[in-house]
Amino acid sequence: MPIDAVNDFVIRFANVNGSGSASANLLFARSILRMGVPIAPRNIFPSNIQGLPTWYEVRVSERGWLGARGGADILVAMNPQTFAQDIGAIEPGGYIFYDSTKPMPPSLLRDDVTVLGVPLTEICAREYSDPRQRQLYKNIIYVGALAALLDIELEVLDKLIGEQFKGKERLLDANRGALRIGFDQAKARFDCPLPVHVRRSGAVGDRILVEGNFAAGLGAVYGGATACAWYPITPSTSLAEAFERNCARFRIDPATGKKNYAIVQAEDEIAAIGIAIGAGWNGARAFTATSGPGISLMQEFFGLAYFAEIPVVVFDVQRGGPSTGMPTRTQQSDLLSCAFASHGDTKHVLLIPDDPAEAFEFAADAFDLAERLQTPVIVMLDLDIGMNSHLCAPFAWDDRKPYDRGKVLSFAELENAPNFGRYDDIDGDGIPYRTLPGAHPTRGAYFTRGTSRDRFARYTEEGLPYIDNMERLERKFDTARTLVPRPEVKKAAKPTSYGVIYFGSTAAPMDEARHMLAAEDLHVDALRIRAFPLAREVADFVDAHDRVFVVEQNRDAQMRTLMITDLGVSAEKLTSILHYNGMPTSARFIYREIVGRLRKPAATQPFEAVK
């Protein structure tokens, strides 16, 4: 029986990298959004160059489920090399749309899938003489056909094309013509619309569609950052580029036209963080953006900034590892390497946003925290948040909010502080007072070093001053625990002894999975971790439940490890739900894994992983 659904389906485009399909697929997604229907688009692309398979998936959900669901109701099959794989992912009763210039092999057809063929290549050969035009307009033609099949308003697509090619009348007319060709072809060949289709709605509200990397780059501008040093690496490059674009809008002196910011593309990741730390030492709000391999290279500088107590912000957009791993796939596998970056006893502050709105907020707040704590602060994005567009609340900012520079002594304060000790804990919170170069001609200077020293920054290898310093750094970490974002708790509709802990990009599928569980009268309380060091509420949440599932996207249950080491929670109470194949965690996966464990004795439940 064909699927019958309005504003509730998943459509997946299977293309070839370099075919020009990306802009056409985005045009399709934006048209549904313009009709007021919430969407969650995801781009799944190879790390290699032109010619390999690429996929683009759009979740359409008027109810607001924006995480990956799993499966596809409609497949737009434009890559014969992946037909077998792609057709296998179609839901029973689903649809496949393909270029029927060359018939699909009968062996690939399924009895429970409706096949919709349009001879796209044949049409393009008839309409266009230029080979590149044939390829590019083929993509627009299939968007036009989908508009007829799914009842997408042609006027909306016309307007979007007008916005994209404004001032380029030749391209504008040609694209609108290709769109109409596809629309008319589908109308002539099929009974339109399909039972699966779109209907205008008002469910989007005031939400915006934006990538997490852009949000974080803009948040860095609002957070007062004026210096960025970076080295290109997937998937963080667009974050530094977003910072540069927004600085060009907001960081130009109106009187002189000069730039009030500095952006340095360094020779490697080591140099990048070194430059950022130097800028932070000199009083600038500075950051670098990288991914797992860059974090590995930056380890020694992390230790220097931690021990010398220099504020710096690092954005880690996590990808599949280890080593080169899967550069264009998402994971949450850098938690331990970031929390304890560098050798020796180090602990770093991590902020873990769940969508672009929080990425904007945490990016801005990271600079306050770094200066207040005089330490590195790492914002833990992942590829799914960073490089994909997400529907989220509009960014909020209060222009009256002052920047928190922390304990920085001014000239007047140094005049009255003849016994300044750079690493002296006067207030008992583990945070000493610092000075900036040039604050006073004769007072407040000290030697910044990565070696052991006493409270007055004087070099020493004696044991007691070293212990004094290390215990103070531990007190500072406990102070950080009170300053970082608190966890978000969601109570189940009914009292339950089960809980689930999650973080980052697992938030959207987790919300849907809890809804699916509740529909079967299986209820779980939920807690979303938003920062490390972990809040005491996390331990309280575990103590309040007999069993707690910890959902994360890595093999080694890294968040579970942090909970045990940082808070001393009972390991026996924690059950890992692990997903690390590089694709975003889906609601169906979380639901299936939790149901399987709730309905089996814990002792017999095997340790499972996605293959």
Side-chain angles (χ1 to χ4, degrees):
M1 191 71 179
I3 296 172
D4 188 342
V6 178
N7 292 350
D8 185 16
F9 60 89
V10 174
I11 181 168
R12 182 175 298 162
F13 297 81
N15 300 101
V16 175
N17 201 29
S19 64
S21 60
S23 60
N25 296 343
L26 179 59
L27 175 69
F28 169 86
R30 291 177 65 200
S31 69
I32 297 177
L33 184 67
R34 287 287 180 92
M35 290 179 65
V37 184
I39 61 168
R42 284 178 171 81
N43 192 18
I44 305 160
F45 59 98
S47 58
N48 297 72
I49 56 175
Q50 183 170 330
L52 290 182
T54 184
W55 294 268
Y56 186 79
E57 180 177 292
V58 182
R59 174 91 185 264
V60 180
S61 175
E62 187 166 13
R63 292 185 296 173
W65 304 126
L66 301 179
R69 187 198 70 183
D73 302 304
I74 305 168
L75 172 69
V76 181
M78 294 292 115
N79 185 1
Q81 294 181 347
T82 61
F83 273 174
Q85 172 187 346
D86 295 331
I87 292 172
I90 303 174
E91 296 288 291
Y95 302 83
I96 178 171
F97 176 93
Y98 83 111
D99 179 1
S100 60
T101 302
K102 183 177 180 181
M104 185 172 293
S107 60
L108 296 179
L109 298 179
R110 286 171 46 184
D111 294 338
D112 61 348
V113 171
T114 300
V115 179
L116 307 167
V118 175
L120 300 171
T121 301
E122 179 183 309
I123 293 169
C124 289
R126 183 176 67 243
E127 297 288 336
Y128 310 104
S129 58
D130 181 80
R132 184 58 178 167
Q133 282 187 334
R134 290 173 176 174
Q135 177 58 61
L136 294 176
Y137 291 129
K138 177 181 176 180
N139 301 323
I140 301 299
I141 289 173
Y142 75 61
V143 171
L146 291 171
L149 290 166
L150 301 179
D151 208 17
I152 298 172
E153 297 169 9
L154 206 56
E155 296 79 6
V156 171
L157 283 162
D158 275 342
K159 186 174 182 180
L160 284 168
I161 289 174
E163 293 172 2
Q164 183 174 348
F165 296 104
K166 185 177 181 180
K168 302 177 181 178
E169 295 304 321
R170 185 175 61 84
L171 292 175
L172 177 62
D173 293 340
N175 277 274
R176 281 178 172 161
L179 186 74
R180 176 60 70 173
I181 289 172
F183 187 87
D184 292 342
Q185 283 285 332
K187 283 283 189 180
R189 293 171 182 272
F190 311 113
D191 185 13
C192 299
L194 297 175
V196 174
H197 60 273
V198 180
R199 181 185 300 149
R200 180 169 282 278
S201 172
V204 172
D206 66 348
R207 287 180 290 178
I208 60 175
L209 188 70
V210 63
E211 292 181 358
N213 280 354
F214 178 87
L218 180 62
V221 175
Y222 274 78
T226 57
C228 167
W230 64 292
Y231 182 78
I233 182 172
T234 301
S236 72
T237 296
S238 60
L239 195 158
E241 291 172 341
F243 177 74
E244 183 172 19
R245 289 200 305 273
N246 284 293
C247 279
R249 295 174 60 199
F250 301 121
R251 289 249 188 275
I252 302 295
D253 188 299
T256 65
K258 291 184 178 180
K259 297 178 179 179
N260 289 328
Y261 61 94
I263 298 175
V264 180
Q265 182 175 324
E267 61 266 32
D268 55 32
E269 290 90 346
I270 301 173
I273 192 171
I275 293 168
I277 290 171
W281 173 85
N282 204 45
R285 289 194 157 191
F287 74 93
T288 187
T290 189
S291 191
I295 293 294
S296 298
L297 290 169
M298 295 175 180
Q299 294 290 302
E300 188 171 0
F301 264 127
F302 274 119
L304 173 64
Y306 172 80
F307 202 53
E309 299 180 68
I310 301 171
V312 67
V313 172
V314 177
F315 293 94
D316 178 17
V317 190
Q318 300 168 87
R319 71 189 209 185
S323 189
T324 305
M326 297 188 291
T328 59
R329 297 292 186 263
T330 195
Q331 277 191 3
Q332 297 172 321
S333 53
D334 295 349
L335 293 174
L336 292 177
S337 62
C338 286
F340 305 113
S342 194
H343 61 281
D345 294 321
T346 54
K347 293 180 182 178
H348 300 292
V349 174
L350 313 181
L351 303 183
I352 313 173
D354 75 330
D355 71 357
E358 217 168 59
F360 171 83
E361 176 189 347
F362 286 8
D365 290 347
F367 294 93
D368 275 356
L369 278 171
E371 291 207 295
R372 187 168 178 180
L373 293 166
Q374 300 173 30
T375 197
V377 172
I378 309 172
V379 182
M380 305 294 291
L381 298 164
D382 60 45
L383 184 146
D384 185 37
I385 294 176
M387 294 196 70
N388 284 319
S389 296
H390 298 262
L391 204 59
C392 65
F395 305 153
W397 185 260
D398 185 351
D399 286 329
R400 297 168 299 178
K401 177 184 176 183
Y403 294 139
D404 187 347
R405 303 303 306 267
K407 298 180 179 181
V408 181
L409 294 176
S410 65
F411 174 89
E413 290 168 324
L414 285 169
E415 282 285 294
N416 298 315
N419 296 319
F420 166 70
R422 171 64 182 95
Y423 300 107
D424 192 10
D425 183 9
I426 296 174
D427 303 320
D429 58 3
I431 305 172
Y433 286 81
R434 66 182 177 123
T435 60
L436 300 179
H440 194 285
T442 60
R443 294 179 178 176
Y446 64 94
F447 193 90
T448 305
R449 61 174 80 246
T451 53
S452 181
R453 69 282 166 140
D454 65 14
R455 296 184 180 187
F456 292 88
R458 296 175 299 210
Y459 170 74
T460 177
E461 293 188 15
E462 294 182 8
L464 289 179
Y466 173 79
I467 291 172
D468 176 66
N469 191 58
M470 293 300 288
E471 288 181 347
R472 180 182 58 76
L473 289 171
E474 183 71 11
R475 287 197 303 276
K476 182 163 74 169
F477 197 70
D478 284 336
T479 298
R481 197 183 306 277
T482 68
L483 300 177
V484 297
R486 317 310 298 168
E488 179 184 67
V489 177
K490 296 182 179 180
K491 299 291 290 184
K494 294 181 180 180
T496 178
S497 61
Y498 298 109
V500 61
I501 290 176
Y502 59 103
F503 58 96
S505 61
T506 59
M510 187 70 247
D511 286 343
E512 186 178 3
R514 290 181 67 233
H515 178 81
M516 296 165 68
L517 290 166
E520 297 193 20
D521 204 30
L522 296 173
H523 299 274
V524 291
D525 294 328
L527 180 144
R528 178 168 67 91
I529 289 174
R530 303 201 299 161
F532 177 82
L534 301 172
R536 301 296 179 190
E537 294 98 309
V538 177
D540 295 339
F541 183 87
V542 175
D543 290 341
H545 296 86
D546 295 336
R547 192 175 185 191
V548 175
F549 301 99
V550 185
V551 180
E552 47 188 314
Q553 296 182 94
N554 57 70
R555 184 195 68 182
D556 294 339
Q558 295 185 26
M559 182 59 79
R560 181 180 184 272
T561 299
L562 285 178
M563 291 166 60
I564 294 168
T565 57
D566 189 46
L567 294 175
V569 301
S570 172
E572 291 74 20
K573 281 192 172 186
L574 304 179
T575 299
S576 291
I577 303 292
L578 305 175
H579 183 287
Y580 53 92
N581 66 352
M583 301 298 289
T585 302
S586 70
R588 289 180 178 178
F589 171 81
I590 297 171
Y591 163 81
R592 185 175 64 247
E593 293 296 301
I594 291 179
V595 165
R597 285 158 169 78
L598 288 177
R599 291 178 175 168
K600 294 180 183 179
T604 63
Q605 177 64 36
F607 185 84
E608 298 183 30
V610 177
K611 301 297 184 185

